[in-house]
Amino acid sequence: MSVKKVGVLVGSLRRESYSKKLANNVVTLFPDGYEIECIKIGNLPFYNQDFDDENNVPTEVVDFRNKLGEFDAFLFITPEYNRSVPAVLKNALDTGSRPKTENRWGGKPAAIISQSPGGIGGFGANHHLRQSLTCLNMSVLQQPEAYIGNVATLLDESGSLTNEGTVEFLQKFVAKFVKLIEK
């Protein structure tokens, strides 16, 4: 069996981001045979088609696009900003999908975990992100849906998940994602 590589994109740049803390917990739940890597997206310039049209693509964009090609699947972990996805995450999607004939996301499995300190768990961000991923021709894990509400109460001071029910749920989520990747 060959090793499968999963790229993790976190939709928050904040140092103490709940999404980052959640990602650090979730990556430990993947089985042997999976290599998980967090992909940094905070250094990407805003996507501008002129970069491609004028053959003047910034190094950060070239490196990011090349990096995406290394992965078999992607896991997105994001907060909700104003009932949608954070701009940094949408920018990463746009950057990786252009030029249109070279969509680096296309045909790859994806899964989404949204989180919020509130009770709704980032429902709006989760569904807006699904729309974009579908447009990019990604196979998105449909069930179980992962909305982690009240996330601040589920983590200890070191960022570890303390709620056993949440850990069990996320383990089942990862198992389903692995099945999608293996298809």
Side-chain angles (χ1 to χ4, degrees), residues 79-138:
E80 179 174 292
Y81 290 180
N82 301 313
R83 299 284 188 250
S84 190
V85 295
V88 68
L89 186 53
K90 181 63 167 78
N91 184 54
L93 292 174
D94 294 343
T95 299
S97 69
R98 297 293 189 257
K100 217 170 188 176
T101 57
E102 298 177 37
N103 175 15
R104 278 72 169 186
W105 308 105
K108 296 186 180 181
I112 303 166
I113 299 172
S114 58
Q115 61 75 24
S116 172
I120 297 176
F123 177 86
N126 195 304
H127 283 266
H128 277 185
L129 185 52
R130 284 176 188 276
Q131 287 179 313
S132 293
L133 299 183
T134 299
C135 178
L136 296 175
N137 192 33
M138 299 184 84

Side-chain angles (χ1 to χ4, degrees), residues 4 13 28 33-34 70 72 78 84 95 114 119 121 134 139 143 146:
K4 299 284 186 184
L13 301 178
T28 66
Y34 278 79
E70 299 174 9
D72 300 298
T78 188
S84 190
T95 299
S114 58
T134 299
S139 299
Q143 294 292 326

